[in-house]
Amino acid sequence: MKAPRPIVLVTGGARSGKSGFALERGAAMGTPRLFVATAEPLDEEMAARIARHRAERARGWRTVEAPKRLAAVLRRPGAAVVLIDCLTLWLANVMGDDAARDVTPDVDALIGALALRRASVIAVTNEVGLGIVPGNPLARAFRDAAGFMNQRVASVADEVYLVVAGQHLRIK
């Protein structure tokens, strides 16, 4: 019997090395590989970040941009490995500037798509709950929603890694 394809969650702070670790992990999991980018180049600085991330990826990764329709991309066949970078940007895109937006249906759709996946999935996310309580309602709502989403994805993940200062620690 063929081993099930794992779900791997990679979390940590900003610039901790999450994406690099996820790319290495994904490269070892097989081909063909799909990179799902959730960032949108809404300003020059973000466009430069996206360009740097593209340059860091080795050949062999096909890229799909999915700032909001993540569950739909996960339902598509064709890849042995899918790397999502990153869930927190996807969540920010879904929430927009609406602090009252209930993201539960979107997270439910993501969890459902992960359950039906045909590929190994590596999802990168940010751990946003280690700092101070944000000073405005939207930032607090985002922090809470990200914590909720991360817990839900971690609960269905086969492996969970925390990346700090370029070092990864397997926590599940």
Side-chain angles (χ1 to χ4, degrees), residues 78-94:
V81 180
V82 175
L83 193 159
I84 304 162
D85 198 356
C86 82
L87 291 178
T88 41
L89 279 173
W90 167 77
L91 183 68
N93 295 337
V94 169

Side-chain angles (χ1 to χ4, degrees), residues 24-72:
E24 287 176 17
R25 184 78 172 87
M29 295 174 89
T31 57
R33 296 181 208 113
L34 176 65
F35 186 93
V36 182
T38 61
E40 294 183 285
L42 300 177
D43 57 48
E44 286 183 32
E45 187 269 340
M46 184 55 91
R49 282 179 180 265
I50 290 169
R52 278 194 308 273
H53 269 277
R54 268 193 200 119
E56 291 170 357
R57 286 196 291 279
R59 294 188 187 266
W61 288 94
R62 184 172 61 90
T63 300
V64 169
E65 295 180 5
K68 292 184 183 174
R69 298 184 42 85
L70 187 53

Side-chain angles (χ1 to χ4, degrees), residues 2-152:
K2 191 173 182 180
R5 298 194 177 268
I7 298 171
V8 179
L9 181 65
V10 179
T11 189
R15 307 302 300 161
S16 63
K18 299 180 304 291
S19 295
F21 173 72
L23 284 165
E24 287 176 17
R25 184 78 172 87
M29 295 174 89
T31 57
R33 296 181 208 113
L34 176 65
F35 186 93
V36 182
T38 61
E40 294 183 285
L42 300 177
D43 57 48
E44 286 183 32
E45 187 269 340
M46 184 55 91
R49 282 179 180 265
I50 290 169
R52 278 194 308 273
H53 269 277
R54 268 193 200 119
E56 291 170 357
R57 286 196 291 279
R59 294 188 187 266
W61 288 94
R62 184 172 61 90
T63 300
V64 169
E65 295 180 5
K68 292 184 183 174
R69 298 184 42 85
L70 187 53
V73 170
L74 288 174
R75 288 188 195 102
R76 292 183 199 158
V81 180
V82 175
L83 193 159
I84 304 162
D85 198 356
C86 82
L87 291 178
T88 41
L89 279 173
W90 167 77
L91 183 68
N93 295 337
V94 169
M95 283 185 74
D97 60 1
D98 183 358
R101 171 92 158 71
D102 180 10
V103 296
T104 304
D106 302 281
V107 174
D108 288 347
L110 170 63
I111 298 299
L114 288 170
L116 298 174
R117 76 199 178 282
R118 296 180 180 161
S120 298
V121 175
I122 303 170
V124 176
T125 191
N126 288 287
E127 178 51 60
V128 298
L130 295 174
I132 62 172
V133 175
N136 69 70
L138 179 59
R140 285 191 298 275
F142 176 76
R143 184 224 30 212
D144 293 349
F148 163 75
M149 174 190 66
N150 288 345
Q151 288 181 54
R152 295 276 313 276

